[in-house]
């Protein structure tokens, strides 16, 4: 380190070597642990990415010369030599990772055309390339007669509408863009859990919403026939729910499906009418959950659920054709020891640190009903707040917290240091696609926070996962409990528990 | 409708994050992971254009299928031989045609200038190099690309008024194409920039002896189907651009009975025999005219992205596109990778030149390399490389031409019809086989090898296509 403590910024290039952003970022997170490194970013040298780095304080002159097909590695270190070392280390790690991919002996193809000829009967394409290229790949897939599941975000609304209209014309589903989850005939697509197969079909405009409901259905002893993600904007006016309507009709036809669950944010005004019309035409019972919408005001059809947890309970009751509970038990007075309850003093706050957008939204809307003031994704929180750490404003150049727990661990430390914060609320999304270290790194961060800042916070979490997931739920739960985390059976239950703690007069919610 | 998605486990093509394909395989479904890189090397302008053109996809596809149908249906038949002035419409005494996109005299490369000098001496317009140079620079000579006259010529491609030309008629469409006669029996061919007395002797003999003889024969035969000869040659190790051993033999076989019955005076037939003995490239110019006749029939479909010509003039390479009229899209001519004939070295090589890439435009030449593995030896390649060449060209072409099947590829057709969009998207350059001219006039053939048409020709053409297109719709 130089005596004056100034940091050295450097940028390195690797020409003509495209890599996906997830791989680039995950490796970069490891690099930030090396000695002398304050910050490191690895991106493809697109104008967007360069702008992000400039906003992050890197001098534009450093970034010149990087093109969209070049890996751009920007690093801030104490000394020049440290920066060079990190870059060398990064390249080594990247090569190792690339070799690992090659070693998997998977069939790979150079073009969509050749892929279709290599896999006869191919009927679905999953697209997770950077947003600016995703629409074009989706067009090509549709032209090849493939349904598409577009995981990528940052596709323009205009392109989404065109793609969905083309898909409708060809009888092909366009799931997404920004579609995190589907389960098709038991096959998990992108971020999904290993859930039992059964008779409940799900159509959802939210990835973590589908994950939560499918996992709870599994835990309640029922199963999922199909779960079809439609993308976060499908229900906006303009798109008009094209994919939702196709998917609802499809599940109404599907012989395996007996009950349908429909999950979304509140649809656009015109789309809502359209959707109601189609829901009314379904021959099968349907459960509807609109995030942030009061079911009492909701005129329409089907069983209306207040929470994802309730949607799962309603669907399972309908599939078993018997009435059952609408939620898990909430005996918070018995759950929390006296000293825990006493630890929350008036004027202290709740902070929700979420990785799943819909789960964050659900917690926020539940809290809104019970707390006088709560903020969502504020820049500088002044009271109770819920953060969706997967939101663009937090992920700039860094991996999504579901992929890599580092970002949330840092935030947890920051919140822990704040004496005003009493309760920390978390979601831990397990399953395919999610980090294998979600719980262990949270546990480690809590230990670290405790030893660094002392003091005790109440940490509440729900685990969205099953015991058949790559990260078995039971094991993950034990890890968290050992770190002193209260684990609740659903996101809504965890949020309710947090609200119970933060209310001056406690009553079971 | 969409029910096929739910009837069984989906079969998946994964594009982007490889981990998604792993998950799918773990759960017992099939998935293929695509080795994806950003289209057009990530260039945002080009990506925007590729995406916008999706709006007119049906219109473009329809135009392309009409255009490619013309290519596949073409029936090029050699019907006549005669002087350029008489055979080629619009040709004047002062016309000198050259290879490639348009170029002015002062911009021409050495070997093309050499060809012009040789042509002017041959026409009796100049007695020597100095007079020829003066005339060429005087402004009295009308230089124009062969392609503007339905003609094609290898290397410098020089065609002058009294040069005999091969006349090919596309009997499906009625259009005609022309080429000069090959004189590559000598390292010092005119087409490679040589112009000395040996060259003059060959040109005179071609005009006075060979052309009348071949003209009489072909008129008597009533036309020869060139496509048939090319298809057979392809199965005999030719690719119809840089290897013509089989096709030249087949052509002679078909001509011989008629030639013999012409009662030619003296030793004329024997002279022709001697000439062919020294020239393994004789069929090249027939092949080129046949390809030109086919590609011209596909030119001028307003919404088509089919590339209808690729040609080089030794300074620039250029392409034309069916839907973009007479416009050329050019870039500096690339160097050629290959072997140099002693005593020449790489420093002697002129950049790429000639109209012969009309064969690749038609799906032959380097596109049919799998049929002629002997040629990859020029770049030290293996048989697998030859097959790889042809396979990679499938990525940028519209169809396989069933008329030309390749034994080494289980009789698959040649990859045919370069799609402008596909070249820009994949960044795969069309490969071409070619000869190498000495960069100075008067030296002739210096080597042979393989090169590629620069990507920027295609990128510029696509930008223009998008402009035209948005203006029309």
């Amino acid at each position: 380190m130089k005596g004056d403590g100034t940091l050295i910024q450097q940028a390195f290039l690797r020409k003509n070597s495209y890599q996906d952003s997830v791989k680039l970022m995950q490796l970069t997170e490891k690099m930030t642990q090396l000695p002398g490194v304050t910050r490191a970013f690895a991106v493809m040298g697109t104008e967007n990415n360069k702008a992000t780095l400039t906003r992050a304080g890197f001098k534009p002159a450093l970034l010149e010369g990087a093109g969209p097909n070049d890996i751009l590695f920007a690093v801030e270190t104490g000394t020049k030599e440290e920066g060079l070392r990190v870059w060398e280390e990064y390249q080594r790690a990247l090569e190792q990772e690339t070799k690992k991919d090659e070693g998997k002996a998977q069939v790979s193809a150079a073009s969509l055309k050749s892929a279709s000829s290599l896999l006869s009967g191919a009927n679905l394409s999953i697209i997770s390339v950077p947003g600016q290229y995703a629409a074009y790949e989706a067009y090509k897939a549709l032209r090849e007669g493939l349904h598409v599941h577009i995981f990528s975000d940052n596709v323009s609304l205009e392109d989404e509408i065109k793609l969905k209209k083309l898909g409708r014309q060809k009888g092909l589903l366009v799931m997404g863009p920004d579609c995190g989850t589907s389960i098709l005939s038991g096959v998990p697509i992108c971020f999904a859990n290993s859930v039992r197969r059964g008779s409940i079909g799900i159509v959802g405009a939210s990835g973590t919403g589908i994950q939560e409901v499918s996992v709870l259905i599994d835990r309640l002893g029922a199963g999922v026939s199909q779960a079809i993600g439609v993308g976060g904007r499908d229900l906006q006016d303009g798109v008009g729910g094209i994919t939702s309507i196709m998917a609802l009709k499809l599940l109404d036809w599907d012989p395996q499906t007996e009950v349908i669950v429909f999950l979304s944010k509140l649809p656009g005004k015109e789309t809502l009418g359209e959707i109601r019309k189609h829901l009314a035409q379904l021959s099968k019972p349907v459960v509807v959950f609109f995030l942030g919408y009061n079911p009492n005001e909701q005129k329409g059809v089907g069983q209306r659920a207040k929470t994802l947890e309730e949607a799962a309970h309603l669907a399972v009751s309908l599939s078993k054709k018997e009435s059952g509970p609408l939620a898990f038990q909430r005996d918070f007075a018995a759950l929390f020891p006296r000293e825990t309850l006493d630890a929350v003093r008036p004027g202290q706050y709740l902070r929700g640190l979420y990785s799943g957008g819909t789960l964050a939204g659900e917690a926020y809307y539940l809290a809104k009903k019970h707390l006088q003031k709560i903020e969502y994704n504020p820049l500088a929180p002044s009271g109770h707040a819920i953060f969706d750490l997967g939101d663009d404003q937090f992920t700039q150049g860094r991996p999504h917290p579901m992929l890599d727990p580092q970002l949330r661990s840092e935030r947890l430390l920051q919140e822990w240091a704040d004496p005003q914060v009493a309760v920390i609320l978390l979601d831990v999304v397990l399953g395919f696609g999610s980090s294998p270290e979600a719980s262990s790194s949270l546990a480690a961060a809590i230990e670290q926070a405790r030893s660094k800042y002392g003091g005790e916070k109440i940490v509440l979490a729900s685990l969205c996962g099953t015991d058949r997931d790559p990260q078995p739920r039971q094991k993950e739960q034990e890890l968290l409990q050992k770190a002193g985390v209260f684990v609740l059976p659903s996101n809504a239950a965890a949020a309710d528990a947090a609200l119970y703690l933060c209310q001056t007069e406690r009553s079971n919610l | 409708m969409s029910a096929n998605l739910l009837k069984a486990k989906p079969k998946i093509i994964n594009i982007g994050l490889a981990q998604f394909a792993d998950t799918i395989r773990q759960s017992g479904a099939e998935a293929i992971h695509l080795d994806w890189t950003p289209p057009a090397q990530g260039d945002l302008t080009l990506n925007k254009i590729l995406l916008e053109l999706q709006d007119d996809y049906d219109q473009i596809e329809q135009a392309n299928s009409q255009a490619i149908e013309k290519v596949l249906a073409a029936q090029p038949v050699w019907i006549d031989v005669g002087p350029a002035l008489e055979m080629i419409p619009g040709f004047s005494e002062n016309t000198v045609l050259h290879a490639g996109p348009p170029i002015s005299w002062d911009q021409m490369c050495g070997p093309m200038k050499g060809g012009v000098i040789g042509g002017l001496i041959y026409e009796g317009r100049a007695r020597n190099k100095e007079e020829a140079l003066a005339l060429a620079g005087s402004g009295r000579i009308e230089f124009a690309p062969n392609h503007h006259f339905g003609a094609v010529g290898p290397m410098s491609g020089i065609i002058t008024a009294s040069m005999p030309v091969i006349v090919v008629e596309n009997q499906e469409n009625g259009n005609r194409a022309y080429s000069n006669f090959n004189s590559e029996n000598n390292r010092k061919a005119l087409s490679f920039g040589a112009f000395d007395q040996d060259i003059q002797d060959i040109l005179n003999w071609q005009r006075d002896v060979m052309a009348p003889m071949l003209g009489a024969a072909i008129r008597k035969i009533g036309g020869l189907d060139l496509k048939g000869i090319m298809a057979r040659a392809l199965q005999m190790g030719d690719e119809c651009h840089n290897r013509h051993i089989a096709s030249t033999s087949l052509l002679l076989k078909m001509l011989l009975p008629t030639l013999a019955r012409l009662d030619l005076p003296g030793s004329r037939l024997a002279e022709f025999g001697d000439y062919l003995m020294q020239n393994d490239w004789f069929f090249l110019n027939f092949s080129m005219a046949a390809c030109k006749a086919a590609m011209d029939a596909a030119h001028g479909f307003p919404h088509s992205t089919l590339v209808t010509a690729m040609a080089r003039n030794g300074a620039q390479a250029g392409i034309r596109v069916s839907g973009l009229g007479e416009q050329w899209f050019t870039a500096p001519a690339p160097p050629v990778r290959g072997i140099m004939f002693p005593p020449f070295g790489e420093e002697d090589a002129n950049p790429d030149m000639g109209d012969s890439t009309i064969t690749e435009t038609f799906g032959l030449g380097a596109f049919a390399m799998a049929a002629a593995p002997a040629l990859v030896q020029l770049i030290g390649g293996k048989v697998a490389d030859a097959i790889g060449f042809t396979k990679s060209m499938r990525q940028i072409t519209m169809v396989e031409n069933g008329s030309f099947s390749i034994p080494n590829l289980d009789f698959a057709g040649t990859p045919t019809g370069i799609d402008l969009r596909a070249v820009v998207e994949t960044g795969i350059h069309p490969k071409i086989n070619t000869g190498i001219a000495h960069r100075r006039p008067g030296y002739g053939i210096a080597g042979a090898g393989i090169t590629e048409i620069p990507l920027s020709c295609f990128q510029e053409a696509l930008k223009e296509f998008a402009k035209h297109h948005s203006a029309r719709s």
Side-chain angles (χ1 to χ4, degrees):
Chain A
M1 178 90 65
K2 272 163 80 180
D4 58 4
T6 10
L7 294 167
I8 311 284
Q9 287 187 349
Q10 294 179 89
F12 303 94
L13 276 187
R14 179 184 269 209
K15 290 295 234 183
N16 288 322
S17 45
Y18 178 81
Q19 291 290 344
D20 69 63
S21 57
V22 173
K23 188 181 291 173
L24 288 175
M25 291 191 296
Q26 280 179 326
L27 290 175
T28 316
E29 291 288 315
K30 294 199 179 105
M31 295 304 124
T32 56
Q33 324 286 330
L34 293 176
V37 184
T38 51
R39 295 188 300 165
F41 297 92
V43 293
M44 299 309 295
T46 62
E47 292 307 316
N48 266 347
N49 286 337
K50 285 196 269 187
T52 305
L53 289 178
T54 309
R55 278 198 300 277
F58 282 88
K59 292 178 209 81
L62 275 177
L63 315 174
E64 274 171 22
N69 227 7
D70 309 330
I71 296 176
L72 170 59
F73 187 81
V75 62
E76 198 172 73
T77 45
T79 69
K80 221 174 161 170
E81 294 70 35
E82 281 166 343
L84 197 62
R85 239 190 342 264
V86 181
W87 168 233
E88 281 165 4
E89 187 56 40
Y90 185 78
Q91 294 188 86
R92 245 197 312 280
L94 192 65
E95 269 154 32
Q96 239 168 31
E97 199 63 28
T98 315
K99 255 193 220 125
K100 220 163 69 192
D101 281 356
E102 283 164 5
K104 279 179 189 159
Q106 45 181 237
V107 195
S108 55
S111 75
L112 202 59
K113 244 194 201 168
S114 54
S116 310
S117 63
L118 281 172
L119 183 63
S120 80
N123 60 351
L124 174 66
S125 177
I126 303 176
I127 295 167
S128 54
V129 300
Q132 68 261 46
Y133 310 114
Y136 186 59
E137 298 301 328
Y139 271 116
K140 286 194 290 180
L142 289 172
R143 310 273 186 217
E144 288 288 310
L146 303 168
H147 300 278
V148 291
H149 183 115
I150 309 172
F151 177 80
S152 320
D153 56 3
N154 291 321
V155 172
S156 77
L157 188 65
E158 190 196 349
D159 285 327
E160 175 170 351
I161 294 167
K162 285 185 195 167
L163 284 166
K164 286 186 166 171
K165 285 186 173 164
L166 180 64
R168 183 170 60 188
Q169 190 192 323
K170 289 175 165 285
L172 297 170
L173 283 182
V174 178
M175 296 170 263
D178 199 10
C179 184
T181 305
S182 288
I183 306 171
L184 300 172
S185 301
V187 179
I189 307 295
C190 299
F191 286 73
N193 303 86
S194 187
V195 299
R196 198 178 292 114
R197 291 210 71 188
S199 63
I200 301 171
I202 306 170
V203 175
S206 138
T208 46
I210 293 178
Q211 286 192 273
E212 173 84 347
V213 170
S214 64
V215 156
L216 294 177
I217 287 171
D218 180 275
R219 201 168 319 141
L220 292 167
V224 172
S225 56
Q226 308 285 350
I228 300 173
V230 298
R233 292 186 306 210
D234 191 62
L235 282 301
Q236 281 185 18
D237 289 338
V239 188
I242 292 179
T243 306
S244 296
I245 291 167
M246 286 174 78
L248 286 169
K249 285 185 185 167
L250 202 53
L251 291 184
D252 207 34
W253 161 87
D254 177 35
Q256 296 233 15
T257 301
E258 289 166 16
V259 177
I260 297 171
V261 180
F262 183 58
L263 312 169
S264 169
K265 281 183 222 131
L266 184 62
K269 217 172 175 180
E270 291 160 32
T271 308
L272 182 61
E274 221 16 52
I275 287 287
R276 273 193 187 133
K277 214 171 70 197
H278 284 276
L279 287 173
Q281 285 164 9
L282 296 177
S283 65
K284 297 174 183 175
V286 58
V287 177
V288 180
F289 169 78
F290 289 144
L291 179 64
Y293 195 52
N294 183 350
N296 299 327
E297 306 164 5
Q298 190 181 317
K299 280 176 267 149
V301 281
Q303 302 257 10
R304 280 132 13 199
K306 285 193 290 291
T307 60
L308 295 163
E309 178 185 342
E310 193 174 301
H313 278 83
L314 279 168
V316 171
S317 297
L318 284 167
S319 78
K320 292 183 173 165
K321 300 190 177 66
E322 59 191 32
S323 60
L326 288 180
F328 297 110
Q329 275 219 324
R330 280 158 167 67
D331 190 1
F332 300 135
L335 174 69
F336 297 113
R338 191 71 243 165
E339 60 270 28
T340 303
L341 294 171
D342 292 342
V344 187
R345 296 184 310 274
Q348 282 194 307
Y349 301 126
L350 156 71
R351 295 284 152 83
L353 307 181
Y354 274 86
S355 61
T358 296
L359 300 179
E362 183 179 47
Y364 170 72
Y365 285 112
L366 285 171
K368 228 175 125 178
K369 273 185 269 170
H370 296 279
L371 299 173
Q372 281 194 332
K373 192 176 168 242
I374 179 149
E375 296 175 287
Y376 191 73
N377 279 355
L379 276 178
S382 56
H384 300 297
I386 302 282
F387 296 95
D388 168 15
L389 296 177
D391 191 90
D392 285 350
Q393 60 167 300
F394 303 107
T395 55
Q396 296 279 310
R398 302 196 57 185
H400 192 283
M402 268 164 68
L403 285 170
D404 192 299
Q406 182 71 19
L407 188 121
R408 184 155 66 168
S409 297
E410 287 164 18
R411 188 72 196 214
L412 188 127
L413 251 77
Q414 184 190 327
E415 296 297 333
W416 201 289
D418 183 348
Q420 299 271 252
V421 173
V423 179
I424 293 173
L425 175 62
L426 304 167
D427 63 339
V428 181
V429 182
L430 308 174
F432 297 105
S434 290
S435 167
E437 285 139 16
S439 307
S440 57
S441 67
L442 272 177
I446 292 167
E447 293 302 335
Q448 196 191 344
R450 242 182 225 129
S451 65
K452 195 165 175 187
Y453 303 111
E456 201 45 55
K457 310 274 180 203
I458 305 168
V459 186
L460 305 173
S462 69
L463 284 160
C464 177
T466 73
D467 283 335
R468 294 180 302 283
D469 276 331
Q471 323 85 337
R473 180 173 192 279
Q474 187 58 39
K475 226 181 88 201
E476 300 289 302
Q477 181 169 344
E478 281 160 17
L479 264 171
L480 289 173
Q481 283 169 334
K482 214 181 283 171
V485 177
F486 292 96
V487 176
L488 282 296
S490 74
N491 179 54
D496 283 344
L499 298 172
Y500 172 83
L501 292 172
C502 292
Q503 278 184 317
T504 30
E505 283 174 38
R506 287 188 181 118
S507 63
N508 277 338
L509 289 156
Chain B
M1 70 159 233
S2 4
N4 74 331
L5 185 62
L6 306 185
K7 280 183 175 156
K9 283 187 176 178
K11 288 190 174 187
I12 292 162
I13 294 172
N14 186 51
I15 308 175
L17 306 175
Q19 69 200 67
F20 292 153
D22 297 340
T23 300
I24 287 150
R25 291 196 199 98
Q26 277 165 32
S27 66
E30 286 179 83
I32 284 207
H33 181 63
L34 203 67
D35 207 359
W36 186 86
T37 54
Q41 292 81 49
D43 182 293
L44 286 185
T45 311
L46 293 170
N47 270 279
K48 197 165 158 270
I49 289 173
L50 287 169
L51 189 57
E52 279 168 4
L53 289 180
Q54 289 292 329
D55 291 347
D56 306 312
Y57 180 84
D58 292 335
Q59 192 179 40
I60 294 169
E61 286 295 302
Q62 200 193 347
N64 281 345
S65 69
Q66 286 169 345
I68 199 71
E69 191 42 53
K70 280 295 196 190
V71 174
L72 297 177
Q75 286 173 24
V77 176
W78 172 32
I79 54 164
D80 207 355
V81 172
L85 185 64
E86 290 170 32
M87 295 290 146
I88 302 179
F91 212 102
S92 80
E93 293 282 354
N94 285 326
T95 303
V96 172
L97 299 186
H98 62 78
I103 188 165
S104 61
W105 163 253
D106 54 315
Q107 297 297 312
M108 283 181 191
C109 66
M112 184 169 277
K113 280 188 167 159
V116 172
I117 294 167
L120 293 176
I121 294 172
Y122 164 75
E123 293 292 335
R125 306 283 300 268
R127 277 171 302 183
N128 51 39
K129 179 181 165 186
E130 288 66 34
E131 284 185 20
L133 286 172
L135 177 60
S138 70
R140 276 181 287 150
I141 299 300
E142 294 156 16
F143 294 104
N146 280 314
H147 272 286
H148 294 187
F149 285 76
V152 278
M155 301 308 289
S156 69
I158 299 300
I159 299 179
T160 58
S162 67
M163 266 185 206
V165 293
I166 301 159
V167 181
V168 172
E169 187 171 82
N170 177 356
Q171 297 193 337
E172 187 273 332
N173 191 60
N175 63 304
R176 289 185 178 187
Y178 313 90
S179 183
N180 51 4
F181 277 93
N182 194 278
S183 49
E184 292 170 30
N185 55 329
N186 187 315
R187 286 270 173 97
K188 293 190 300 179
L190 179 82
S191 55
F192 284 77
F195 54 79
D196 64 14
Q197 193 53 47
D198 293 349
I199 302 297
Q200 297 301 329
D201 292 346
I202 291 172
L203 291 174
N204 292 337
W205 175 82
Q206 284 186 343
R207 180 191 60 213
D208 300 333
V209 178
M210 186 183 76
M213 179 172 98
L214 293 179
I218 196 62
R219 284 188 293 272
K220 197 163 179 186
I221 294 170
L224 264 182
D225 166 30
L226 295 174
K227 203 169 173 178
I229 295 177
M230 290 152 83
R232 288 166 73 188
L234 218 58
Q235 302 210 342
M236 296 164 73
D238 284 0
E239 40 65 281
C240 301
H241 180 172
N242 231 6
R243 188 177 160 94
H244 306 277
I245 298 173
S247 55
T248 299
S249 310
L250 287 169
L251 183 70
L252 176 63
K253 188 174 97 151
M254 294 166 101
L255 281 173
L256 194 56
T258 312
L259 284 174
R261 289 188 182 94
L262 285 177
D263 291 331
L264 298 163
S267 59
R268 291 196 166 183
L269 187 53
E271 285 172 29
F272 183 54
D274 290 339
Y275 185 77
L276 285 187
M277 276 300 287
Q278 296 167 39
N279 189 337
D280 282 340
W281 278 273
F282 188 71
F283 190 77
L284 167 63
N285 303 45
F286 291 85
S287 171
M288 287 170 59
C291 295
K292 174 68 175 163
M295 295 317 297
D296 271 0
H299 192 76
F301 287 89
H303 303 285
S304 171
T305 52
L306 175 71
V307 175
T308 48
M310 301 193 290
R312 311 87 79 213
N313 59 28
Q316 288 174 315
I319 66 162
R320 294 215 278 185
V321 176
S322 179
L324 289 175
E326 304 309 300
Q327 207 174 339
W328 288 89
F329 301 90
T330 60
V336 182
R337 198 159 57 103
I339 51 166
M340 302 302 290
F341 301 146
F344 302 124
E346 269 173 30
E347 65 284 2
D348 299 315
N350 197 72
D352 195 23
M353 182 169 73
D355 290 327
S356 54
T357 33
I358 193 68
T359 56
E360 277 84 6
T361 318
F362 185 54
L364 299 174
F367 282 46
M369 196 70 133
L375 279 179
V376 279
Q377 295 175 93
L378 287 176
I379 52 161
K382 301 201 164 103
V383 174
D385 299 324
I387 291 172
F389 269 45
T390 296
K391 282 189 171 167
S392 71
M393 293 302 102
R394 286 177 181 166
Q395 311 249 20
I396 55 169
T397 48
M398 297 176 183
V399 291
E400 288 176 17
N401 188 342
S403 301
F404 299 121
S405 68
I406 302 177
N408 280 338
L409 285 174
D410 268 336
F411 302 98
T414 47
T416 303
I418 299 166
D419 188 337
L420 188 58
R421 297 169 301 175
V423 176
V424 172
E425 183 198 315
T426 61
I428 297 174
H429 307 66
K431 291 211 181 306
I432 53 186
N433 292 338
T434 187
I436 304 173
H438 196 288
R439 63 185 174 78
R440 294 175 58 193
Y443 282 77
I445 304 177
I450 290 170
T451 185
E452 302 169 330
I453 300 285
L455 269 186
S456 61
C457 298
F458 299 87
Q459 293 168 338
E460 290 314 307
L462 191 73
K463 286 177 189 169
E464 186 63 25
F465 186 86
K467 225 189 289 167
H468 269 232
H469 219 69
S470 57
R472 271 197 301 259
S473 46

